[in-house]
Amino acid sequence: MNKGILVTGAAGFIGSHLCESLLTQGHQVSGIDNFDPFYDRSIKETNLAGFIGHPSFDFIEGDAGDRNVLEKMERKPSVVIHLAAKAGVQPSLKDPSAYIRSNILMTNTVLEWMREQGIRKLLFASSSSVYGNMEEMPFREDQLVDFPVSPYAFTKRSCELMNYTYHQLYKLDVVNLRFFTVYGERQRPDLAIHKFVDKILREQAIQLYGNGDTSRDYTYWKDTVGGIEGALKYITGRENVFESINLGNNSPVKLIELVREIASLLKVEPEIVYEDKKQGDVDITYADIGKAQRLLGYRPATGLAEGLQNFITWFRAKT
């Protein structure tokens, strides 16, 4: 058990699942979340509802990029799991400066605070977006990732590089975890699976960008959380750590196949409208998970049909 773990973005999709899991294992957890208005506050409040009163959980509402918020913490953690960020490729094209502030500058504030407080262990939520339109697949961590195709992607890659600088200068131990299209219960309402299920059940047309051939390495939240927890064990048991590690499913699925699977589970024939592919979107994400298997004992176990059914059951229960 760790002396204390700080989770930024604790009320979000992945963050809330992670906090619940860590508390179940007996960890002392502190959470920070700023309830960014990107989507309705009530969604995050519901995410927190199951554990907000847990005796081993402290929560601060505020921005992790605000030094005053970080200094409100009652317990100094031994590990920081930095999930908080502005997410989404398309919104980043519309307001890149907001992504620079919320992602790069916030991460710098967290790193500076860690350095001054003597906190030496960081797990950072990066993204498969850093790979851009890489031709060689599956994506490996040792590939050159200097060609991001969206502001969101370049903020995540910038943070990886900044983390390395703090590792070199100040001996912080860091694992950059590159998440691949995490889905499941509590998923943000702007994401594809959430939107598709909602629209199909409302008998509304769904929009597919391009010809439906773009592919994503959909990874169920429980597998991602298991990977984060594996990284937590890895980093707390070692010194002089700097790694970037994929957390994916090693099984890309075409967008049109995703829609067909959802429709089959819902027993509905959807209306599909095809639109032009959007700027900034990549053609495929495909994770090589060999490194995660070797270092973290990572074994994604949830197939797409099972994960989608879990999401659909949750979605119907809440609507």
Side-chain angles (χ1 to χ4, degrees):
M1 186 176 71
N2 285 284
K3 181 174 67 174
I5 301 167
L6 169 62
V7 178
T8 70
F13 166 36
I14 300 172
S16 61
H17 282 301
L18 176 63
C19 287
E20 276 189 307
S21 182
L22 292 172
L23 290 167
T24 299
Q25 295 170 42
H27 294 289
Q28 297 284 328
V29 181
S30 298
I32 293 176
D33 203 289
N34 70 348
F35 294 90
D36 187 292
F38 187 63
Y39 56 92
D40 193 273
R41 178 189 178 96
S42 65
I43 295 172
K44 286 191 171 184
E45 290 176 340
T46 301
N47 292 348
L48 287 172
F51 59 94
I52 190 69
H54 195 288
S56 296
F57 182 68
D58 297 325
F59 182 73
I60 299 170
E61 180 175 348
D63 194 317
D66 182 345
R67 185 61 176 268
N68 294 325
V69 171
L70 293 169
E71 291 175 353
K72 289 180 182 177
M73 291 187 56
E74 295 179 4
R75 288 191 294 257
K76 186 173 86 169
S78 56
V79 182
V80 175
I81 304 178
H82 183 34
L83 305 179
K86 267 194 173 299
V89 168
Q90 294 306 315
S92 78
L93 271 68
K94 297 175 182 176
D95 192 2
S97 61
Y99 279 70
I100 292 169
R101 287 193 303 273
S102 293
N103 297 358
I104 299 175
L105 295 181
M106 175 169 56
T107 300
N108 180 249
T109 298
V110 170
L111 288 166
E112 277 292 291
W113 175 75
M114 289 179 64
R115 178 180 67 81
E116 292 175 12
Q117 293 292 319
I119 303 166
R120 297 188 53 249
K121 307 287 185 180
L122 172 69
L123 302 182
F124 173 73
S126 189
S127 167
S128 62
S129 296
V130 301
Y131 289 104
N133 276 313
M134 190 79 67
E135 293 184 2
E136 186 181 350
M137 289 176 283
F139 300 157
R140 299 186 323 275
E141 296 89 346
D142 60 357
Q143 290 172 304
L144 184 66
V145 286
D146 287 349
F147 307 100
V149 297
S150 70
Y152 171 70
F154 81 62
T155 64
K156 286 297 184 180
R157 180 58 181 149
S158 297
C159 288
E160 289 186 350
L161 294 169
M162 182 163 51
N163 292 342
Y164 180 76
T165 301
Y166 275 73
H167 166 71
Q168 285 291 99
L169 289 176
Y170 308 117
K171 309 308 178 188
L172 268 63
D173 294 325
V174 180
V175 178
N176 298 313
L177 296 168
R178 294 174 177 170
F179 297 163
F180 281 69
T181 315
V182 187
Y183 75 99
E185 307 91 297
R186 303 182 191 165
Q187 186 180 47
R188 298 197 325 263
D190 62 296
L191 295 177
I193 290 171
H194 198 294
K195 289 194 296 185
F196 291 167
V197 170
D198 185 35
K199 288 194 171 187
I200 290 172
L201 288 175
R202 293 175 185 270
E203 299 182 347
Q204 297 175 353
I206 60 174
Q207 289 75 38
L208 297 188
Y209 300 100
N211 58 9
D213 280 347
T214 57
S215 299
R216 295 292 180 269
D217 200 343
Y218 296 102
T219 310
Y220 188 59
W221 70 263
K222 193 171 289 186
D223 293 322
T224 301
V225 166
I228 298 169
E229 291 171 343
L232 178 63
K233 292 176 184 176
Y234 181 83
I235 201 169
T236 53
R238 291 167 177 80
E239 299 295 324
N240 194 29
V241 173
F242 185 87
E243 300 285 355
S244 294
I245 302 177
N246 294 334
L247 293 183
N249 199 40
N250 190 234
S251 183
V253 176
K254 288 185 178 181
L255 189 59
I256 190 62
E257 293 172 0
L258 173 72
V259 172
R260 287 172 182 153
E261 186 67 47
I262 293 171
S264 174
L265 292 168
L266 293 174
K267 297 180 172 56
V268 175
E269 187 65 34
E271 178 186 354
I272 300 173
V273 176
Y274 291 93
E275 298 185 0
D276 292 340
K277 182 182 173 184
K278 288 190 172 183
Q279 250 188 331
D281 283 344
V282 298
D283 297 327
I284 185 171
T285 63
Y286 184 2
D288 183 318
I289 58 173
K291 186 174 182 180
Q293 290 172 327
R294 291 192 306 274
L295 300 187
L296 312 182
Y298 177 68
R299 299 288 187 276
T302 309
L304 183 66
E306 179 186 355
L308 289 174
Q309 185 59 66
N310 291 345
F311 174 81
I312 290 167
T313 301
W314 169 82
F315 184 88
R316 282 179 155 155
K318 78 178 183 69
T319 53

